[in-house]
Amino acid sequence: MNKISAIQPDTLRRKVEDAVREAITSGVYAPGERLIERELCEGLGVSRASVREALRRLEAEKLVHTVPHRGPVVASISVEEARQLYALRAVLEGYAAHEFATQAADAAILQFGRAAADLREAAGSGDTDRVLRAKGILYDVMLSHCGNDLVREILRGFYSRINLLRATSLMHPERLPHSLAEIDALVAAFQKRDAAQAEQLARLHVTNACAVALKQLASRNAQTPLDAVS
């Protein structure tokens, strides 16, 4: 992580929080790994108070939890919890896609298409961080123009946790080409203003990602003693 220069306290706290969150969701810190405050302070060039505030906020997002006698560690997600997250994501993103197809302005449809093209370009680089950022921008376009602020708020509220799994599923060599093809199909559905097809494609995209993520998560959990991450 890059050091954060001296800035206003509120902005500093947000930047520290964002930096640690990105490190967790991009896989710099693995599930169950300890987050050592001294190392975070040195790496970011900030005070321990700023790091502790960031960790408290990330604990509220369920990205971090505190283990007695160990301190803060990166949260782990069980297979069942992941299944529930993806199930909810499929319903809400399907609804958002349906509404986006009917309500979004033509400019937003074009913006989504450009974001999809940027995602494909990012995927070609093989850079996981870049791909996740591009995917985030893509979803931000859809959620910002679906006409339902509550759906946008709910999805954004747990996307951080989903990102713990999204990197696993999205960058899988057998999943990535299919994921990009699904996004391209969604672009086409939006351009045709076919709401039913858009909803179906959005749900399918999440369902397919879920299958890959759950398979890899189950394999990883089977190799990791539960007492190492509890």
Side-chain angles (χ1 to χ4, degrees):
M1 293 182 291
N2 296 324
K3 290 191 175 183
I4 299 172
S5 58
I7 49 181
Q8 292 297 319
D10 288 345
T11 304
L12 175 63
R13 283 194 293 270
R14 286 195 298 272
K15 286 188 175 293
V16 172
E17 180 184 336
D18 290 344
V20 179
R21 181 189 295 107
E22 182 175 351
I24 292 172
T25 57
S26 65
V28 173
Y29 298 113
E33 184 173 349
R34 288 182 62 200
L35 296 170
I36 302 173
E37 290 182 0
R38 173 179 52 79
E39 294 180 356
L40 291 172
C41 292
E42 292 174 356
L44 295 170
V46 297
S47 69
R48 182 160 292 187
S50 295
V51 167
R52 286 178 175 172
E53 176 64 20
L55 292 176
R56 280 195 294 270
R57 290 176 179 271
L58 295 175
E59 188 165 14
E61 293 181 17
K62 299 186 182 299
L63 288 179
V64 172
H65 70 101
T66 301
V67 177
H69 311 300
R70 292 191 68 202
V73 301
V74 177
S76 299
I77 298 179
S78 69
V79 171
E80 180 56 32
E81 185 178 12
R83 184 179 290 110
Q84 292 177 15
L85 281 169
Y86 273 100
L88 181 57
R89 178 186 164 194
V91 172
L92 293 179
E93 284 187 13
Y95 172 83
H98 182 283
E99 297 304 292
F100 182 83
T102 60
Q103 298 192 36
D106 290 344
I109 300 290
L110 290 173
Q111 188 180 3
F112 188 91
R114 288 194 295 269
D118 290 342
L119 173 61
R120 181 172 287 279
E121 182 179 348
S125 72
D127 185 333
T128 300
D129 289 349
R130 184 179 170 191
V131 172
L132 288 175
R133 285 194 296 270
K135 194 72 181 288
I137 292 171
L138 184 82
Y139 280 111
D140 190 59
V141 173
M142 184 174 72
L143 295 179
S144 296
H145 299 276
C146 72
N148 191 308
D149 291 339
L150 183 57
V151 167
R152 179 178 63 179
E153 181 182 343
I154 293 172
L155 279 172
R156 284 178 171 173
F158 65 75
Y159 268 159
S160 291
R161 298 182 73 200
I162 287 177
N163 274 347
L164 289 171
L165 302 167
R166 182 182 284 164
T168 299
S169 62
L170 181 59
M171 297 306 291
H172 191 283
E174 295 180 4
R175 170 61 187 153
L176 185 55
H178 295 290
S179 178
L180 295 173
E182 290 159 9
I183 294 296
D184 288 343
L186 189 57
V187 171
F190 286 153
Q191 290 172 342
K192 293 186 296 183
R193 299 287 186 170
D194 189 332
Q197 185 180 29
E199 180 174 2
Q200 181 180 9
L201 288 169
R203 283 175 173 258
L204 178 64
H205 179 69
V206 176
T207 299
N208 290 341
C210 177
V212 175
L214 291 182
K215 182 177 179 180
Q216 293 196 240
L217 182 60
S219 175
R220 186 179 69 195
N221 288 354
Q223 297 171 13
T224 305
L226 290 177
D227 59 357
V229 297
S230 61

